Structures are given as structure tokens and as C-alpha cells.
């Protein structure tokens, strides 16, 4: 289905093995390595501060605020564009992409995903709604994909471009004398793809994290206690505090394990005939990795349905289990944005915990409304919308959030 929307031969995630895959993957690995992605931490901290201020003003709209955070972080990394207002053109682009991708439903849920020959049907054919959908939206997709690329090139000519995934790569092409239409197209698509791959997944993880904090008040209190003890209550945490907060780290990974953002991963294609546990898997088969089942594997995680951040602490304080790395995929296709993603999720978690309490809202009788842990799954998985009360932990915390804008 995504192929019909023009995503067959560009975004890394859909490229089969070959030169284009290797060249494109190299760009991602280089710009998003653990070391390089650290240069984006200022952006992540600034956007987390804006998120906290938005939560003070309109806590009920927390879902919009985390969406804005996820979009703004990735757009700044991709294009060096600082999102400063709610009607920013890059945010509108992000919303449009989400709308178009959501319109095609869960991966594999369209007939054309299961029977690719259906791609050849004429648009008028009964049931071929997906061709009509693609014909209608392809020009918009291509136009918005081009927008950021053109803007950054203009800024580079004027000398006003900020360092970004795109500008750094364009500079490298020029330096190495490798500029060509093919390389420009690769960068246009790859920068745009950063949003496709990193926006919704980050938002989904943050949304699940707020639900997990709401449903697990003891874990929330324990993490707040750790922050208060290590950092005190007179400043908000920053990235330099990360190593000193082991329980917060466990809480973050437990959220990802409890309900992974991409529960069925991305399908892989088998390159050679293979045997696995007595089963023959022919070359060319499509394999759907069941990440959710891996994170709930009893042989790896004790009582896997229980939300228990301590499981990752060394024994005897915890269970000494490993972090659930499968949430970022496998082998050569392992998510190249994982360092960036974890940093985004961490800074939001630690900001929320230090400045806010997340509690249930009350019904007419004054009783807590505890939402069910239910999820919608399309390409990524999101909690079914729920309500919660997000309030500053103290007057001091409110002032710290207000001051963090300065
Ligand atoms: C919490 C957030 C995220 C989660 C849970 C996540 C998860 C995943 C998963 C499961 C895959 C499939 C790996 C496989 O096929 O084995 C993937 C691929 C990918 N991710 Fe992420 N991701 C996240 C954030 C990001 C971010 C922030 C970026 C970039 C800015 C990014 C860029 C990519 C790319 C480019 C691929 C395709 C890699 C390839 O096919 O070679 N992701 N991600």
C-alpha cells in the first residue's frame, strides 16, 4: 500500500538489499549514531520544556502536546527547523503525513498487501479503493516530501541553514564532490523519512508512558522519589543526570516492553532458503516479527504481564533482566534512530516526573476513573484515548517549568 503512495524505492525501511540500501543506511548510521545524536540533545531539552509549559496551560490536551513534541524534535533534526508556533508549516506537514498514513489502516490489512498483483487493477475496479486513495494523495505526498529539501537548500545558499541531518549530508556531498541528482533524491527522501519513522513511534511511546504512569502510581512515586533524592527539587533534571537515575531508566524501558510502539515490527524478507526449528522457510518469504510476543516471553521476563520496572535492576534489588532491545528491531535493519528515540523518551519522562503528578480524573461521585489498557494498532500502536489529570507537583515545580522557557 505504501508502495502505491510512492514509498517503494526511497525510504530506507522499504529498500531491499543492494547498493541503494547500503548507501542510504550509511547516511542514517552516521548521523544518528550514539555520539552524533548527542548534538541534538539541546533541541530535545528545549522541546521538552515547551511540552511541560503546554501541559501547565492545557493539561487535558496532553495528547496534542506529545504529538507536537515528537514532530518538532524530528523536524528540527531533519531540517534544522525550529518549530515555534502551533501553525508552523512543518507541523502541518507532520499532521498531513499522519492523516494520510492512518488512512491506509494497519500494515497488511489491505488486500493489496496480501496479494500484490492487485496493484495492477484499474482504479474503477470495485474494491480497488486503495488505487483511488493513492492516485488522489500521491501528489500531496510528493509535494510535502520536497518542501523541506527545497527550504534547506535555499537557506544554505543564503548561509542561514542550521546544522541538520539534511544540511550536514548536503555539505558532505559538496565536500567530497559527489553531488548528483541521485544523491539529492536520496537525501530528500531520507530526511522526509526521518519523520515517517521517528514521529509516530516516539509519540506512541510517550502516550503509552503516560498511561503506564497513570496505571502504576507506586512506580511513579518511586521514580519521583529517586529524582528528588538525587537532584533535589530546586531544578529540573537534564541529560547529565541520566546515569544517576537508574530507576527512571528502568521505568522507561518497562514502558517500551509493556506495550511496544511497533508490536509487529517491520516485515523482513528471507534472502535464502532457511530451516528454523524443523520448519522450512523458502527464500523470498515475508516474516512478520512478533515483537509484542517477545517482550511478553515468560522465559525472558518473569510475570511478563506485570508492570515491574525493578526487573532490570541487578539482583538482589531486582531480577537482573536485560532491557527489551527487540522493541527496536533486529540485525542489519535495527532501528538507526534508537539513540535519538531513547533520549527523547527519557527527557520527557524525567521532566514529567519531576514537575507533575499524573493521576486519574474523578467521576460524578468523586471516584477515580481508571482507563483500560487498550490499544489501537496501525503501523504503530497507540493507547485508546483516555483522560488523566496532569498537575504540577508543587508551586516550586510550576515555577521551574515556567522559568525553563527562558
Ligand atoms: C521509540 C521510538 C522508536 C521505536 C519503538 C522504533 C522502532 C523501530 C523498529 C521496530 C524498526 C524495524 C527494525 C527492523 O526491521 O528490524 C525501526 C526501523 C527504523 N527506524 Fe525506528 N523506532 C523509533 C524511533 C525512530 C526514530 C526517532 C528514527 C529516526 C529519526 C527512526 C528511524 C528508523 C528507520 C530509518 C528505520 C528503518 C531501518 C531499516 O530498514 O534499515 N526510528 N524502528
Amino acid at each position: 500500500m505504501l508502495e502505491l503512495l510512492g514509498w517503494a524505492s526511497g525510504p530506507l525501511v522499504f529498500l531491499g538489499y543492494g547498493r541503494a540500501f547500503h548507501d542510504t543506511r550509511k547516511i542514517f548510521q552516521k548521523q544518528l549514531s550514539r555520539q552524533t545524536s548527542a548534538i541534538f540533545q539541546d533541541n530535545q531539552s528545549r522541546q521538552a520544556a515547551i511540552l511541560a509549559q503546554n501541559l501547565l496551560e492545557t493539561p487535558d490536551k496532553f495528547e496534542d502536546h506529545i504529538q507536537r513534541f515528537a514532530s518538532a524534535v524530528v523536524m528540527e533534526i531533519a531540517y534544522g527547523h525550529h518549530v515555534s508556533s502551533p501553525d508552523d508549516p512543518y507541523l502541518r506537514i507532520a499532521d498531513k503525513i499522519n492523516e494520510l498514513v492512518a488512512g491506509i489502516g494497519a500494515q497488511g490489512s489491505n488486500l493489496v498487501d496480501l496479494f500484490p498483483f492487485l496493484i495492477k487493477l484499474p482504479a474503477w475496479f470495485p474494491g480497488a479503493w486503495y488505487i483511488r486513495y493513492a492516485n488522489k494523495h500521491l501528489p500531496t505526498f510528493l509535494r510535502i516530501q520536497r518542501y523541506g529539501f527545497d527550504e534547506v537548500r535555499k537557506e544554505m545558499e543564503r548561509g542561514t541553514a542550521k546544522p541538520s541531518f539534511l544540511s550536514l549530508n548536503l555539505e558532505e556531498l559538496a565536500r567530497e564532490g559527489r553531488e548528483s541528482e541521485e544523491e539529492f533524491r536520496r537525501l530528500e527522501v531520507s530526511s522526509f523519512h526521518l519523520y515517517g519513522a521517528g514521529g509516530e513511534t516516539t509519540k506512541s511511546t510517550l502516550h503509552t508512558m503516560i498511561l503506564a504512569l497513570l496505571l502504576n502510581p507506586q512506580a511513579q512515586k518511586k521514580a519521583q522519589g529517586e529524582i528528588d533524592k538525587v537532584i533535589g527539587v530546586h531544578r529540573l533534571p537534564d541529560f547529565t543526570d541520566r546515569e544517576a537515575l537508574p530507576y527512571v531508566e528502568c521505568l522507561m524501558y518497562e514502558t517500551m516492553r509493556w506495550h511496544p510502539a511497533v508490536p509487529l515490527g517491520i516485515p523482513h524478507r528471507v534472502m535464502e532458503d532457511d530451516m528454523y526449528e524443523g520448519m522450512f522457510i523458502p527464500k523470498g518469504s515475508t516474516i512478520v516479527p512478533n515483537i509484542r510476543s517477545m517482550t511478553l516471553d515468560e522465559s525472558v521476563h518473569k510475570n511478563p504481564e506485570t508492570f515491574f520496572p525493578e526487573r532490570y535492576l541487578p539482583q538482589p534489588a531486582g531480577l537482573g533482566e536485560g532491557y527489551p532491545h527487540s522493541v527496536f528491531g533486529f540485525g542489519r535493519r535495527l532501528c538507526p534512530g534508537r539513540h535519538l528515540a531513547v533520549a527523547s523518551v527519557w527527557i520527557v519522562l524525567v521532566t514529567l516526573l519531576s514537575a507533575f503528578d499524573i493521576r486519574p480524573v474523578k467521576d460524578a461521585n468523586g471516584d477515580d476513573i481508571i482507563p483500560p489498557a487498550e490499544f489501537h494498532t496501525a503501523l504503530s500502536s497507540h493507547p485508546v484515548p483516555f483522560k488523566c489529570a496532569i498537575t504540577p507537583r508543587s508551586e516550586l515545580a510550576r515555577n521551574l517549568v515556567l522559568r525553563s522557557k527562558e
Side-chain angles (χ1 to χ4, degrees), residues 252-288:
M252 173 179 72
Y253 277 109
E254 185 64 344
T255 298
M256 296 185 190
R257 184 197 68 82
W258 179 61
H259 204 98
V262 196
L264 292 179
I266 303 287
H268 287 203
R269 182 171 299 144
V270 177
M271 304 295 291
E272 292 163 14
D273 287 349
D274 199 6
M275 287 296 286
Y276 179 73
E277 297 196 346
M279 290 172 284
F280 175 60
I281 305 175
K283 175 178 171 175
S285 305
T286 299
I287 304 290
V288 177

Side-chain angles (χ1 to χ4, degrees), residues 12-15 21 25 28 32 74 77 193-195 197-199 201-202 205 256 260-262 265-268 289 291 326-338 340-342 345:
L12 176 60
V13 72
F14 303 121
L15 289 177
F21 167 77
R25 178 92 200 178
F28 279 82
L32 301 178
V74 185
I77 289 166
H193 180 39
L194 279 188
Y195 179 75
T201 43
T202 304
T205 307
M256 296 185 190
V262 196
I266 303 287
H268 287 203
I291 293 179
S326 60
V327 299
F328 289 112
F330 318 93
R332 281 178 285 196
R333 310 300 298 232
L334 184 63
C335 171
R338 63 196 180 285
L340 202 70
V342 166
V345 175

Side-chain angles (χ1 to χ4, degrees), residues 228-268:
D228 294 349
K229 192 164 154 227
V230 173
I231 292 162
V233 290
H234 295 284
R235 69 170 176 93
L236 294 176
D238 60 39
F239 280 105
T240 59
D241 300 310
R242 188 158 162 199
E243 274 185 26
L245 298 170
Y247 186 78
V248 171
E249 194 82 7
C250 295
L251 180 51
M252 173 179 72
Y253 277 109
E254 185 64 344
T255 298
M256 296 185 190
R257 184 197 68 82
W258 179 61
H259 204 98
V262 196
L264 292 179
I266 303 287
H268 287 203

Side-chain angles (χ1 to χ4, degrees), residues 2 144 202 211 282 300 343 356:
L2 289 165
I144 58 184
T202 304
L211 182 62
V300 181
F356 295 93

Side-chain angles (χ1 to χ4, degrees), residues 46-121:
R46 190 165 6 93
Q47 292 301 341
I50 294 175
L51 167 66
Q53 281 144 23
N54 288 340
L55 287 173
L56 278 187
E57 281 166 26
T58 46
D60 303 350
K61 295 195 175 160
F62 68 91
E63 210 187 314
D64 292 349
H65 302 327
I66 54 176
Q67 174 76 68
R68 181 199 180 283
F69 168 88
S71 305
V73 163
V74 185
M75 290 301 185
E76 185 159 346
I77 289 166
Y79 301 111
H81 175 78
H82 175 42
V83 172
S84 53
S85 77
D87 56 349
D88 187 283
Y90 284 82
L91 285 188
R92 288 208 305 274
I93 285 178
D95 289 344
K96 192 70 196 166
I97 304 167
N98 292 340
E99 181 193 314
L100 294 180
V101 173
I104 65 178
Q107 56 171 300
S109 65
N110 295 297
L111 267 185
V112 68
D113 292 337
L114 300 174
F115 305 108
F117 64 85
L118 294 178
I119 214 166
K120 300 213 167 71
L121 287 180

